[in-house]
Amino acid sequence: PGTKRLPQAIVVGVKKGGTRAVLEFIRVHPDVRALGTEPHFFDRNYDRGLEWYRSLMPRTLDSQITVEKTPSYFVTKEAPRRIFNMSRDTKLIVVVRNPVTRAISDYTQTLSKKPDIPTFEGLTFRNRSLGLVDTSWNAIRIGMYAVHLESWLQYFPLSQIHFVSGEKLITDPAGEMGKVQDFLGIKRVITDKHFYFNKTKGFPCLKKSESSGLPRCLGKSKGRTHVQIDPEVIEQLRDFYRPYNVRFYETVGQDFRWE
């Protein structure tokens, strides 16, 4: 039953921030239907057209919201304009986390697929003794949130963008998901009783999914042990990100306490 609609809400970023968790948590809500895979429509598949995009969506009833997530949208120059052209009312969700931790997580994921890549330090700096960070490396670039946000604010007001703290998503999933539900204008159905903390993985899991009575945790690729990085490199990166973080906090009116 129901019809396939273009999404009213999109999780647009960021990679390794906790977007999969947000999607899995929100789809427990009876008023939400979400596309499980990342369609990459507004970055890679735009030429396929809106009807192709719509055809991927789950069927929804009038009372339900359609959601999709593709974390690379946040850093795609054309994405804000393209989403705006689809619907200026689209609600946008951005899951952010400490950019230093995010970069290490990103590198850890790449390393698991390509074991022969250069070291984290080697990719981070153009000149380490001068502390020159290589902003062309994607793992570094993504964490410059204030820079990417500017493109979005040319098309969407801040009131249409909701920022989820990747850190709080781990320590207080019900609280963070409560705010997401408020933002989407749906009843707070997902609460503390939906979560338990998985000590092995180091993050919260759903007690049961919508389809079965069994506990549901994110896949093997989530909660990987991060590569050990020289503390001095971490310090240099903290210094690099600080001004971007401050600008980001000021723009969104929220202090994520990454210092």
Side-chain angles (χ1 to χ4, degrees):
T3 44
K4 293 189 173 208
R5 284 176 244 262
L6 292 167
Q8 295 102 310
I10 305 177
V11 182
V12 295
V14 301
K15 183 184 176 195
K16 306 310 291 176
T19 59
R20 170 57 60 186
V22 168
L23 191 79
E24 293 302 333
F25 294 166
I26 199 64
R27 66 198 303 194
V28 171
H29 200 294
D31 295 340
V32 173
R33 295 300 311 280
L35 179 64
T37 53
E38 295 176 6
H40 284 280
F41 176 63
F42 296 103
D43 55 356
R44 297 180 203 159
N45 295 308
Y46 196 61
D47 55 346
R48 295 189 172 200
L50 278 173
E51 282 316 304
W52 173 83
Y53 184 48
R54 186 199 300 270
S55 73
L56 304 175
M57 297 301 150
R59 291 181 178 278
T60 51
L61 304 170
D62 287 348
S63 58
Q64 293 175 316
I65 299 174
T66 307
V67 179
E68 78 111 320
K69 85 139 179 129
T70 306
S72 49
Y73 291 163
F74 190 64
V75 297
T76 302
K77 241 348 198 177
E78 303 77 27
R81 176 177 51 82
R82 289 170 173 177
I83 294 173
F84 179 83
N85 287 341
M86 172 186 75
S87 166
R88 58 180 56 195
D89 298 323
T90 311
K91 293 186 173 186
L92 307 167
I93 295 171
V94 187
V95 191
V96 287
R97 77 193 274 204
N98 185 321
V100 180
T101 326
R102 198 219 64 81
I104 296 168
S105 177
D106 200 332
Y107 176 78
T108 304
Q109 183 177 37
T110 309
L111 191 65
S112 72
K113 295 173 189 167
K114 304 177 189 162
D116 49 354
I117 56 166
T119 63
F120 181 81
E121 289 85 341
L123 291 164
T124 296
F125 297 102
R126 276 182 314 168
N127 183 322
R128 181 158 174 209
S129 54
L130 293 175
L132 289 177
V133 171
D134 189 352
T135 57
S136 70
W137 184 33
N138 222 15
I140 294 296
R141 199 166 168 69
I142 291 171
M144 296 156 68
Y145 307 136
V147 175
H148 306 299
L149 184 58
E150 282 171 9
S151 313
W152 293 89
L153 293 177
Q154 286 172 19
Y155 292 92
F156 294 96
L158 264 179
S159 58
Q160 245 166 279
I161 311 173
H162 179 70
F163 299 92
V164 175
S165 157
E167 284 82 16
K168 283 196 185 150
L169 200 56
I170 293 171
T171 57
D172 179 21
E176 279 303 286
M177 291 313 295
K179 292 179 207 161
V180 171
Q181 291 168 93
D182 293 348
F183 172 68
L184 293 175
I186 54 181
K187 220 170 120 213
R188 283 199 178 202
V189 171
I190 303 161
T191 59
D192 279 334
K193 64 177 189 294
H194 284 85
F195 301 99
Y196 74 96
F197 194 79
N198 182 314
K199 288 200 175 69
T200 326
K201 279 195 165 291
F203 55 70
C205 298
L206 289 165
K207 283 191 180 153
K208 58 176 190 285
S209 68
E210 50 199 328
S211 52
S212 75
L214 298 168
R216 174 134 206 326
C217 255
L218 298 179
K220 287 195 295 291
S221 67
K222 309 297 175 186
R224 279 197 193 97
T225 306
H226 286 180
V227 181
Q228 282 300 298
I229 307 294
D230 177 351
E232 206 176 289
V233 169
I234 290 176
E235 266 316 301
Q236 282 175 291
L237 267 184
R238 278 194 186 134
D239 292 343
F240 165 76
Y241 279 121
R242 193 165 290 115
Y244 294 102
N245 290 347
V246 170
R247 205 164 104 213
F248 181 63
Y249 299 166
E250 286 171 353
T251 309
V252 306
Q254 203 174 331
D255 183 348
F256 289 88
R257 304 186 179 279
W258 292 323
E259 294 312 313

